[in-house]
Amino acid sequence: MKIFVTGCAGLLGANYSRHLLANGHQVIGIDDLSGGHKAFIPKGENFQFVKLNLERRKKVEELFEEHRPDVLLHFAAYAAEGLSPFIRNYNYRNNLICSANLINPCITYGVKMIFTSSMAVYGAQEPPFTEDKQPQPIDPYGMAKYAVECDLKMAHQQFGLRYNIVRPHNVLGIYQNIWDRYRNVIGIFIRKTLNDQPILVYGDGEQTRAFSDIQYYMEPFDILLSEFDGETFNIGADKYFSLNQVAETVQSIGKKYGYDVPIEHGPPRHEAKHAYCNHDKAKNLLKFKDDTKLEELIEDMFVWAMKQPNRKVKDMEYEVTEGIYEYWKK
Ligand SMILES: NC(=O)c1ccc[n+]([C@@H]2O[C@H](COP(=O)([O-])OP(=O)(O)OC[C@H]3O[C@@H](n4cnc5c(N)ncnc54)[C@H](O)[C@@H]3O)[C@@H](O)[C@H]2O)c1
């Protein structure tokens, strides 16, 4: 197939593009490098990279006109959930408007869209979340994802747009941006350790999350390329851990490689205390099988991170500074 992958320089896009190329597909990867890195983009004769900010609606339409893809995997986003209340405009432009800019040509050119939403749509409800729970996002990031989900459903009903939604959560793997101070908690812990800085846990650290190995997303995505329409699936690990446990795991792996840093606690953030999903639907319909071995996975990432250049950590421009956390003040 000829497949568009947005966010091809990020965690899901870089990994899944490689998987598609290995399986003989033709991939056109789109990314503006705002949150991913050039070095993570795949190479190969069946791969073409287009550097483009998806906010540029006309340019996006021209790309569809030029390539006429069969399917679009829309991974591009700025997934900094905790920061999203302080960057509302950026959040909605990046996560909602950019998606609208893709839904339009998907309607026009009859392209099926696989959209990665997020567990964030469930908000602070009682976990484990099942797909039939009414979304109740608690921040602009979750709201943007939910809005796109609703928009896809409307486009399906009115125009027959084919789409599927995946709600991933806490994905881990190489090609993750660990140089962003606002997201990817394990990546941040690893970067801090490698820089001999304390691992900072927000709040009491008893928040729970289920971190999942990216390799188990590949087969479900493959199935969604050609099967199902209008369906939503949770994908991720079943087993959850507290952030204290995760911090201790990173700390002990760090020690193994000669980095000995303390764990510290900072003020709590506005976030769901416990968040993890039920994955029965994906297991039953998408052959999803999770065999995440968190400690081994973190060690693999740690070893990968040791070989990476010490990239610059960027500050975002805050749109609201009211109530910004101490550790995010500049
Ligand atoms: N990684 C997770 O744990 C997780 C969990 C839930 C949902 N998701 C969703 O899955 C998708 C992929 O996540 P990821 O972890 O690979 O993210 P990522 O940040 O690693 O990759 C996203 C990529 O999109 C690109 N991008 C962002 N805005 C863009 C724009 N306006 N134009 C063009 N490119 C743009 C970035 O440069 C980056 O390379 C996202 O939609 C995210 O919301 C991820």
Side-chain angles (χ1 to χ4, degrees):
M1 287 188 195
K2 193 190 252 193
I3 301 178
F4 270 14
V5 176
T6 71
C8 65
L11 173 66
L12 271 79
N15 281 285
Y16 192 59
S17 293
R18 283 173 170 78
H19 174 85
L20 287 172
L21 292 167
N23 287 293
H25 295 287
Q26 189 183 343
V27 178
I28 292 111
I30 307 161
D31 205 296
D32 68 350
L33 303 180
S34 57
H37 291 281
K38 205 172 170 194
F40 301 169
I41 299 170
K43 293 186 179 65
E45 60 179 75
N46 282 328
F47 181 80
Q48 186 184 333
F49 174 57
V50 178
K51 185 167 183 238
L52 177 67
N53 183 341
L54 295 166
E55 274 190 73
R56 299 184 65 190
R57 186 173 67 82
K58 287 263 157 55
K59 288 275 174 206
V60 172
E61 274 170 21
E62 282 168 26
L63 270 186
F64 276 74
E65 172 65 31
E66 182 187 344
H67 293 283
R68 308 276 177 142
D70 299 298
V71 186
L72 162 75
L73 285 127
H74 179 29
F75 295 129
Y78 186 53
E81 186 172 4
L83 183 66
S84 65
F86 304 101
I87 52 160
R88 273 190 153 69
N89 177 287
Y90 186 79
N91 168 71
Y92 288 119
R93 279 192 286 123
N94 230 45
N95 298 332
L96 175 56
I97 301 297
C98 287
S99 301
N101 289 348
L102 292 161
I103 292 172
N104 283 338
C106 281
I107 293 170
T108 307
Y109 295 96
V111 178
K112 181 176 184 180
M113 183 193 289
I114 316 296
F115 172 61
T116 41
S117 178
S118 171
M119 172 176 79
V121 300
Y122 296 114
Q125 303 183 64
E126 185 74 28
F129 310 129
T130 47
E131 291 86 346
D132 56 1
K133 272 208 164 137
Q134 175 64 35
Q136 289 179 32
I138 59 165
D139 48 53
Y141 170 71
M143 186 54 84
K145 290 292 190 186
Y146 183 41
V148 177
E149 289 194 6
C150 294
D151 195 79
L152 284 166
K153 191 173 174 188
M154 291 187 297
H156 175 77
Q157 287 165 348
Q158 186 170 2
F159 300 108
L161 175 76
R162 290 171 304 140
Y163 76 97
N164 287 307
I165 292 166
V166 172
R167 292 176 179 157
H169 55 101
N170 305 101
V171 194
L172 274 186
I174 63 167
Y175 308 127
Q176 182 166 66
N177 185 349
I178 62 168
W179 301 271
D180 189 316
R181 57 191 290 221
Y182 307 106
R183 63 194 179 114
N184 299 333
V185 58
I186 291 182
I188 294 175
F189 289 174
I190 291 174
R191 171 171 49 77
K192 294 260 181 181
T193 306
L194 288 172
N195 284 287
D196 281 320
Q197 292 166 352
I199 293 174
L200 181 67
V201 178
Y202 306 141
D204 66 6
E206 287 308 303
Q207 306 93 305
T208 48
R209 298 289 184 269
F211 296 92
S212 50
D213 188 333
I214 182 125
Q215 66 169 301
Y216 301 112
Y217 287 72
M218 304 293 126
E219 192 169 7
F221 280 135
D222 285 347
I223 294 174
L224 291 174
L225 293 179
S226 51
E227 292 180 42
F228 299 102
D229 192 9
E231 293 289 342
T232 301
F233 297 91
N234 293 332
I235 300 191
D238 292 326
K239 196 164 175 215
Y240 55 85
F241 295 87
S242 72
L243 290 191
N244 286 328
Q245 288 174 307
V246 169
E248 283 160 19
T249 303
V250 175
Q251 187 187 45
S252 75
I253 291 169
K255 278 186 191 154
K256 188 171 160 187
Y257 291 92
Y259 300 88
D260 192 358
V261 298
I263 295 172
E264 292 178 358
H265 288 262
R269 284 196 325 188
H270 171 76
E271 63 180 348
K273 183 100 186 172
H274 303 290
Y276 44 88
C277 292
N278 170 293
H279 309 103
D280 288 351
K281 186 174 173 186
K283 286 177 189 166
N284 291 334
L285 299 177
L286 302 182
K287 298 189 192 161
F288 173 58
K289 195 172 96 23
D290 167 54
D291 195 18
T292 299
K293 296 187 175 60
L294 189 58
E295 201 170 329
E296 282 175 30
L297 179 60
I298 294 177
E299 184 162 355
D300 288 349
M301 275 191 69
F302 197 94
V303 171
W304 170 80
M306 286 195 318
K307 294 183 212 141
Q308 297 299 306
N310 204 358
R311 295 188 166 91
K312 198 171 166 336
V313 177
K314 68 172 182 183
D315 289 326
M316 285 295 285
E317 187 191 329
Y318 305 140
E319 297 161 22
V320 169
T321 49
E322 181 73 28
I324 194 100
Y325 311 112
E326 203 49 50
Y327 37 76
W328 283 348
K329 284 194 178 145
K330 291 174 189 166

